[in-house]
Amino acid sequence: MEQRIELAVSTVIFALRPHPVSGRDTLWLPLVRRIREPFLGRWALPGGPLEPAEDLAASARTTLRRTTGLEPSHLEQLYSFGGIDRSPDRVVSIVYWALVRPDEDARAIDGENVEWFVADEVPDLAFDHNDIVEYALRRLRAKITYSDIAHAFTGEEFTIAQLREVHEAVRQVRLDPANFRRQTLANPRIVPTGRHLTGTSHRPPALYRLETP
Amino acid sequence: MEQRIELAVSTVIFALRPHPVSGRDTLWLPLVRRIREPFLGRWALPGGPLEPAEDLAASARTTLRRTTGLEPSHLEQLYSFGGIDRSPDRVVSIVYWALVRPDEDARAIDGENVEWFVADEVPDLAFDHNDIVEYALRRLRAKITYSDIAHAFTGEEFTIAQLREVHEAVRQVRLDPANFRRQTLANPRIVPTGRHLTGTSHRPPALYRLETP
DNA sequence: GCAAAAGTGTTTCAATTACACCCATGT
DNA sequence: ACATGGGTGTAATTGAAACACTTTTGC
């Protein structure tokens, strides 16, 4: 008698929203309340079984649309978890993590049993999902320092300060505006659009965009 | 009617051996000749179906022992591949990569239909395994620059030159011995054992070991 | 004019690189 | 003694960090 191994795809979805207490931008993520055993009633990462006709990334996208109604601006495989003690029945989870833009985020329509939490303050989750969230956070915070993923949180056009605020929110640090500006503009792919952001109560900052090579 | 999704674990196994032409140390990996369709007769990464009672990493270890007869000094998950066009039947592969020590490597007994190849000169492989090997090589070469995995290629005790030769072999570069030495010894976890390597035709180099914290 | 953030300049400090030179051993 | 790699010293270059200062807008 052969035991069946379940194959599921889950996604850690990050968005930037103001922290309920401090008001400063922080990472949030949506969780889904389980309506079945095991872990009935507990919060868990959105996900579902892998459909035979569906790509791994496509499956993550489907989950993302179902829970947030949005397209991810960044989607990346995180890790595959297959410990034999993760769940009463053997299940291997391929986990993705995704970033969604705050401007689109406003348009988000949460599905049933979906609720957003501050990423660093999630409750006790089902399965090993607390470990997974922690791992995803570490990866995001590491990767933003050496890659372009911060732009997945900005619009097409952005000011240097907006980009800096993304870094500050994700990494939970304060960065020197002058030095950040220089280091950012050292990247030749970041070019000024010529336009400026208006409506600020001070000097209007220049708008830039990321050249797609 | 439900289509079954196969779940397999494959491993890219690296060892350092002298290059057949240049004689300098290079990365090698073992491949297995397929004895079944699809891709019958083609070389492929060692691997097999995931057993219900087996951990993902344990499955990789089993494969490693079967093909090389050795224990890995380093084993790490690489990526999971699940494209719907990878194979006629739908198969999701969770791929690991492993490093084995050269001293142990000498003890290796190759299984049937197993042959070692220079990692940068592998033939046309089955499935998408050429892509996977390339990806594993990139990861290894990137990771050796910021982590301790080089030690997975040295013995318990090592000279600074031996460690440098590992870096040079993996990254295919020449490194300044003086600077490499300083940067290496800047790591407080690398401590002298007090012993020296004898039998060289020149000044006997000091032996070090990596403190396990 | 004043506040506030944009944007520029400058000084300091640490890390990397290149390379000259001395040391200890086998032959 | 001399060839060879081990090991040390040091000047030049680069980049990160800290911070003073000027600019441009809304009010």
Side-chain angles (χ1 to χ4, degrees):
Chain A
M1 169 193 150
E2 183 184 334
Q3 190 194 337
R4 174 143 178 93
I5 302 178
E6 299 278 343
L7 189 50
V9 177
S10 299
T11 308
V12 186
I13 302 162
F14 290 116
L16 285 182
R17 298 179 172 187
H19 190 281
V21 178
S22 73
R24 295 187 55 74
D25 270 1
T26 349
L27 288 166
W28 291 67
L29 50 81
L31 296 172
V32 178
R33 196 187 289 280
R34 282 188 62 80
I35 53 172
R36 279 195 302 184
E37 291 289 354
F39 296 103
L40 192 149
R42 287 274 271 283
W43 294 104
L45 290 172
L50 179 64
E51 301 296 328
E54 214 171 29
D55 224 325
L56 296 179
S59 178
R61 263 173 230 281
T62 302
T63 297
L64 207 125
R65 185 172 314 115
R66 178 161 41 79
T67 53
T68 68
L70 296 172
E71 296 285 321
S73 54
H74 181 88
L75 180 66
E76 186 177 331
Q77 194 181 299
L78 177 68
Y79 201 78
S80 297
F81 298 85
I84 51 183
D85 53 353
R86 299 181 67 233
S87 169
D89 45 340
R90 180 74 194 277
V91 55
V92 171
S93 291
I94 301 177
V95 180
Y96 278 74
W97 58 285
L99 307 181
V100 301
R101 298 205 153 84
D103 53 311
E104 294 197 71
D105 180 17
R107 226 176 294 147
I109 299 159
D110 290 354
E112 263 196 81
N113 291 312
V114 174
E115 198 172 310
W116 287 75
F117 294 83
V118 173
D120 290 297
E121 302 168 11
V122 294
D124 251 16
L125 304 184
F127 307 106
D128 51 1
H129 287 189
N130 282 97
D131 297 335
I132 296 177
V133 167
E134 206 180 310
Y135 184 47
L137 268 171
R138 252 188 300 152
R139 263 274 274 276
L140 167 59
R141 284 173 172 150
K143 185 150 190 173
I144 202 175
T145 64
Y146 64 85
S147 80
D148 281 330
I149 49 165
H151 294 281
F153 278 131
T154 69
E156 178 78 10
E157 300 200 343
F158 51 88
T159 68
I160 302 296
Q162 283 166 359
L163 194 61
R164 175 169 50 81
E165 280 152 17
V166 169
H167 275 87
E168 293 181 336
V170 170
R171 294 173 45 201
Q172 301 178 295
V173 291
R174 298 305 229 106
L175 299 172
D176 182 302
N179 292 331
F180 181 84
R181 173 188 184 75
R182 255 187 302 265
Q183 289 162 14
T184 301
L185 294 182
N187 179 353
R189 291 177 54 213
I190 291 183
V191 292
T193 64
R195 280 186 288 283
H196 289 256
L197 184 67
T198 55
T200 62
S201 69
H202 55 276
R203 176 174 175 175
L207 285 164
Y208 296 81
R209 106 197 123 70
L210 181 65
E211 195 98 301
T212 52
Chain B
M1 169 193 150
E2 184 184 336
Q3 190 193 336
R4 175 142 176 91
I5 302 178
E6 299 277 345
L7 190 49
V9 177
S10 298
T11 309
V12 186
I13 302 163
F14 291 115
L16 284 182
R17 298 178 172 187
H19 191 281
V21 178
S22 72
R24 296 186 54 74
D25 269 1
T26 350
L27 289 165
W28 290 67
L29 51 82
L31 296 172
V32 179
R33 196 187 288 282
R34 281 188 62 80
I35 55 173
R36 279 195 301 183
E37 292 290 356
F39 296 103
L40 192 148
R42 287 273 272 284
W43 295 104
L45 290 173
L50 178 65
E51 300 297 328
E54 213 171 30
D55 223 325
L56 297 179
S59 178
R61 264 174 228 280
T62 302
T63 297
L64 206 125
R65 184 174 313 115
R66 178 161 41 78
T67 54
T68 68
L70 296 172
E71 295 285 322
S73 54
H74 181 88
L75 181 66
E76 186 177 330
Q77 193 180 299
L78 179 68
Y79 201 79
S80 297
F81 298 85
I84 50 183
D85 53 352
R86 299 181 67 232
S87 168
D89 46 338
R90 180 73 194 278
V91 54
V92 171
S93 292
I94 301 178
V95 181
Y96 278 73
W97 60 284
L99 307 181
V100 301
R101 299 205 153 85
D103 53 311
E104 293 197 75
D105 180 19
R107 226 175 295 147
I109 300 159
D110 290 354
E112 263 196 81
N113 290 312
V114 173
E115 199 172 310
W116 288 74
F117 294 82
V118 173
D120 289 298
E121 301 168 11
V122 294
D124 252 16
L125 304 182
F127 307 106
D128 50 0
H129 287 188
N130 282 97
D131 297 335
I132 296 177
V133 167
E134 206 180 307
Y135 184 49
L137 269 171
R138 249 187 302 151
R139 262 272 276 275
L140 167 59
R141 284 174 171 149
K143 185 151 189 173
I144 202 174
T145 64
Y146 64 84
S147 80
D148 281 330
I149 50 167
H151 295 281
F153 278 132
T154 69
E156 178 79 7
E157 300 201 343
F158 52 88
T159 70
I160 303 296
Q162 284 168 358
L163 194 60
R164 174 168 51 80
E165 279 151 18
V166 170
H167 274 87
E168 293 181 335
V170 171
R171 294 172 45 198
Q172 301 179 295
V173 292
R174 297 307 226 104
L175 299 171
D176 183 304
N179 293 331
F180 180 85
R181 173 186 185 76
R182 256 187 301 266
Q183 288 161 15
T184 301
L185 294 181
N187 179 353
R189 291 177 53 213
I190 292 184
V191 292
T193 64
R195 280 185 289 281
H196 289 256
L197 184 67
T198 55
T200 62
S201 70
H202 54 276
R203 173 172 176 176
L207 286 165
Y208 296 82
R209 107 196 121 69
L210 181 65
E211 195 98 303
T212 51

